[in-house]
Amino acid sequence: MSSKQFELSQPPSDGISMLKFHPTDDSKLLVSSWDKQVRLYDTQKDQLTSSHHAHQAAVLDIAFGNDGAFSGGLDRRILAWDSSFSQTIEIGHHDGEVSALEFVPSNGILISGSWDRTLRAWDSRAQAAVSPVAKLDVEERVYSMSARDTLLAVALAGRKILIYDTRRFENPLETRESSLKFPTRCVKLMPDSRGFVCSSVEGRVAVEYLGTEKSNYAFKCHRQTAGDNTDLVYPVNAVSFHPIHHTFVTGGSDGAVSLWDPDNKKRLKQYQAYPTSISSLDFNASGSALAIASSYTYDEGEKSHPPDSIWVKSISENETKPKTKR
């Protein structure tokens, strides 16, 4: 692997489900995994600084709050981790598995999505298990969510995408069907909130704009050609936007990470392949580093696979800049 990146010490022992950088601190990286643990790393020191195993089953998603962090997963509980990252409390629960979490800093609300077909909003300052401040029924299981400023994008099973204003949470601003013909793996709002990117299990990504469908487009990616000239198509598991230049990366079950320019509809770069599936990735707050989870996602069932690993890649300003149109 390149000298511009390194492998974090003490990675999870089973299935990395999600990793997220802190919204302002470039060094703090939060990681959830199928070994029932949540870990906090200092990426600048290559150090595991704290962890908890208060969940009773796999942890599927995490979120930093204004203070501390939150986690949820297969045990249906939502846990808050205090600001010193030393103690956890349960602040809420769902009737089904918790599949997605997003924190809204402006109002201190934590939003959770579940396979019980509900969205729930929680007061993040709660010191004990409480009732949600809002609960919305949705048509299908929640697969992925993304919050940005006051907007929330929710990807459901059945290819529905819902857009909410988190200040008025009762009804979606927009409901649309993804232009991708297969189930959604990930949805991410653009940094300027003009639209969103979603990815599917069938090696495609869609770039969609809010309020209009005129400029929407989709493209194929994370595919390989086999020896007999057949297409090998891989799920696109993860998307992350660069916070400054608004280009984005995708990570697929082919172990590849690609960098895209959405406005010019071009791939800017394909990075060297990682040991196995990319299950999650995230830019830090300044855009100077990209965290990449290489963790087999079982798309091909049980088989021998490389151990889970987390890579921290240095990113130069020039490589993530959109290319000027000639």
Side-chain angles (χ1 to χ4, degrees):
M1 293 288 173
S2 160
S3 60
K4 286 178 62 183
Q5 66 182 356
F6 67 92
E7 186 177 354
L8 267 185
S9 304
Q10 298 179 267
S13 58
D14 183 21
I16 301 167
S17 53
M18 188 65 67
L19 50 75
K20 290 179 181 176
F21 271 111
H22 190 275
T24 57
D25 186 333
D26 272 356
S27 65
K28 285 182 180 175
L29 182 70
L30 197 63
V31 179
S32 59
S33 54
W34 282 76
D35 62 8
K36 309 178 189 177
Q37 292 200 45
V38 179
R39 293 168 171 85
L40 179 69
Y41 293 90
D42 184 323
T43 59
Q44 291 177 357
K45 296 178 180 175
D46 184 19
Q47 191 175 59
L48 176 63
T49 56
S50 193
S51 66
H52 80 72
H53 46 83
H55 283 283
Q56 296 155 3
V59 189
L60 299 186
D61 205 359
I62 42 178
F64 278 106
N66 286 331
D67 297 299
F70 306 93
S71 54
L74 296 187
D75 65 2
R76 305 181 176 189
R77 299 186 305 145
I78 298 165
L79 302 185
W81 204 6
D82 68 359
S83 57
S84 62
F85 298 101
S86 58
Q87 294 184 334
T88 60
I89 56 168
E90 180 180 333
I91 62 165
H93 68 274
H94 275 264
D95 301 322
E97 293 77 0
V98 179
S99 54
L101 293 175
E102 287 289 325
F103 180 70
V104 183
S106 58
N107 57 16
I109 294 296
L110 178 74
I111 299 172
S112 58
S114 170
W115 296 345
D116 67 8
R117 304 184 184 199
T118 69
L119 298 172
R120 304 185 191 201
W122 310 89
D123 181 350
S124 65
R125 299 160 298 181
Q127 297 300 307
V130 293
S131 297
V133 296
K135 176 184 171 186
L136 297 178
D137 294 318
V138 291
E139 288 180 33
E140 258 293 359
R141 290 158 293 158
V142 176
Y143 276 179
S144 177
M145 298 196 308
S146 174
R148 182 79 66 174
D149 299 325
T150 59
L151 289 183
L152 176 76
V154 181
L156 305 179
R159 299 170 36 239
K160 279 278 174 64
I161 307 283
L162 310 176
I163 306 295
Y164 289 92
D165 182 333
T166 58
R167 297 165 300 182
R168 294 179 291 279
F169 202 40
E170 300 83 14
N171 298 301
L173 298 174
E174 279 197 41
T175 300
R176 61 171 71 178
E177 192 171 276
S178 166
S179 59
L180 305 177
K181 304 301 180 192
F182 288 82
T184 305
R185 270 285 164 93
C186 183
V187 65
K188 275 286 186 293
L189 284 164
M190 296 174 182
D192 57 11
S193 301
R194 286 187 302 150
F196 61 87
V197 166
C198 60
S199 65
S200 82
V201 300
E202 189 253 346
R204 288 178 192 264
V205 166
V207 177
E208 305 207 10
Y209 294 90
L210 300 179
T212 178
E213 296 188 8
K214 192 168 57 176
S215 305
N216 296 349
Y217 66 95
F219 58 91
K220 298 178 183 179
C221 52
H222 296 279
R223 296 168 179 236
Q224 297 172 2
T225 304
D228 58 359
N229 282 334
T230 56
D231 243 4
L232 298 175
V233 179
Y234 296 90
V236 185
N237 302 314
V239 177
S240 181
F241 275 93
H242 190 272
I244 311 299
H245 301 306
H246 301 184
T247 50
F248 67 90
V249 285
T250 55
S253 291
D254 55 351
V257 175
S258 293
L259 175 67
W260 308 91
D261 176 352
D263 290 339
N264 293 317
K265 304 182 182 180
K266 286 185 177 179
R267 185 170 72 186
L268 299 176
K269 192 158 190 169
Q270 177 150 335
Y271 297 102
Q272 184 177 346
Y274 289 83
T276 185
S277 316
I278 307 303
S279 61
S280 183
L281 37 71
D282 196 31
F283 281 108
N284 65 0
S286 68
S288 62
L290 176 67
I292 299 158
S294 172
S295 180
Y296 181 56
T297 47
Y298 290 86
D299 302 302
E300 298 170 26
E302 288 280 355
K303 70 172 190 177
S304 177
H305 56 84
D308 299 311
S309 56
I310 298 171
W311 300 84
V312 179
K313 183 173 186 60
S314 295
I315 299 293
S316 70
E317 186 175 356
N318 285 336
E319 72 186 282
T320 52
K321 273 186 177 177
K323 297 294 184 275
T324 306
K325 287 184 179 178
R326 293 182 177 178

